[in-house]
Amino acid sequence: MSRYEIAFSGQLVPGAQLELVKANMAKLFQADAQRIAQLFSGRRIVIKNNLDAAAAEKYRSTLERVGARVEVIDMDMPIEEVELAPPPPAEPAPAAPAAPAAAAASGRATAGRLQVAPRDEYMAAFSEVDAPDFGIAPVGADLQDAKPDAEAPRVDLSQFSLAPVGSDMGQAKADAAAPPPDTSHLKLQE
């Protein structure tokens, strides 16, 4: 039996007015303006999950009646495995000396700074980022900075002494039983 989820991305049914849809959804979900604003933030938000087909269709039709376009997604659908492309081949080393010269001409110091060579159009946007050149530690290396051993506290124990072996260490002794009270003067009346 398939299970479905209802997701909303802030899209409206054609012809719907945004303010009217927000008001309808606030009434439908009994939510305040802040929660409704989160629904219309543009991010994909799962409204309800783990529904059967009939309940998913009921949610979809109700939300479309108030003007919101939702997605009904089969949760049991297999996820497609995507194979990543291999990394690009390493660039030749002679290009590196040109980068410091260009940076020096622009007035920026490059010692210990990362130079990003763009591999595609997306990464070209990050080519001018000035970031520290953090290296990668070898496998098994300790990443925590070394701390000096804690020094033992100096405590003055001169007022204490040791008792000889087998001596009484001052345990509390039980009190001797008190004599029973004198009841000879008491009599029972008939």
Side-chain angles (χ1 to χ4, degrees):
M1 183 166 149
S2 292
R3 307 307 285 170
Y4 298 91
E5 72 179 9
I6 306 294
F8 180 63
S9 302
Q11 297 178 349
L12 304 179
V13 173
Q17 296 175 354
L18 179 63
E19 294 305 317
L20 183 61
V21 173
K22 283 184 178 182
N24 289 340
M25 288 185 74
K27 188 164 43 167
L28 179 68
F29 291 123
Q30 298 175 352
D32 59 356
Q34 182 181 6
R35 292 200 186 240
I36 297 300
Q38 288 176 345
L39 283 175
F40 285 90
S41 66
R43 294 189 326 250
R44 182 181 178 274
I45 297 174
V46 175
I47 295 176
K48 187 78 173 170
N49 61 7
N50 208 18
L51 296 168
D52 60 359
E57 179 58 29
K58 185 177 178 182
Y59 268 88
R60 187 198 61 75
S61 64
T62 302
L63 287 167
E64 283 190 357
R65 262 187 275 129
V66 299
R69 183 185 305 161
V70 294
E71 299 173 273
V72 178
I73 300 162
D74 186 0
M75 294 172 61
D76 299 330
M77 186 171 55
I79 297 173
E80 181 181 337
E81 294 285 332
V82 177
E83 186 176 332
L84 297 176
E91 295 286 328
S106 67
R108 290 189 336 201
T110 60
R113 305 310 284 176
L114 180 63
Q115 295 295 322
V116 178
R119 67 173 181 261
D120 56 17
E121 185 177 318
Y122 175 76
M123 289 302 293
F126 300 102
S127 63
E128 297 298 318
V129 172
D130 184 25
D133 189 9
F134 292 118
I136 298 176
V139 175
D142 188 9
L143 299 179
Q144 180 69 33
D145 294 335
K147 292 183 179 176
D149 292 334
E151 185 178 323
R154 300 191 187 278
V155 179
D156 181 21
L157 303 175
S158 61
Q159 71 269 16
F160 298 110
S161 62
L162 294 176
V165 175
S167 63
D168 184 10
M169 294 300 294
Q171 288 89 351
K173 295 180 181 166
D175 292 336
D182 182 21
T183 58
S184 61
H185 64 283
L186 300 176
K187 295 182 183 177
L188 292 176
Q189 288 185 351
E190 292 186 28

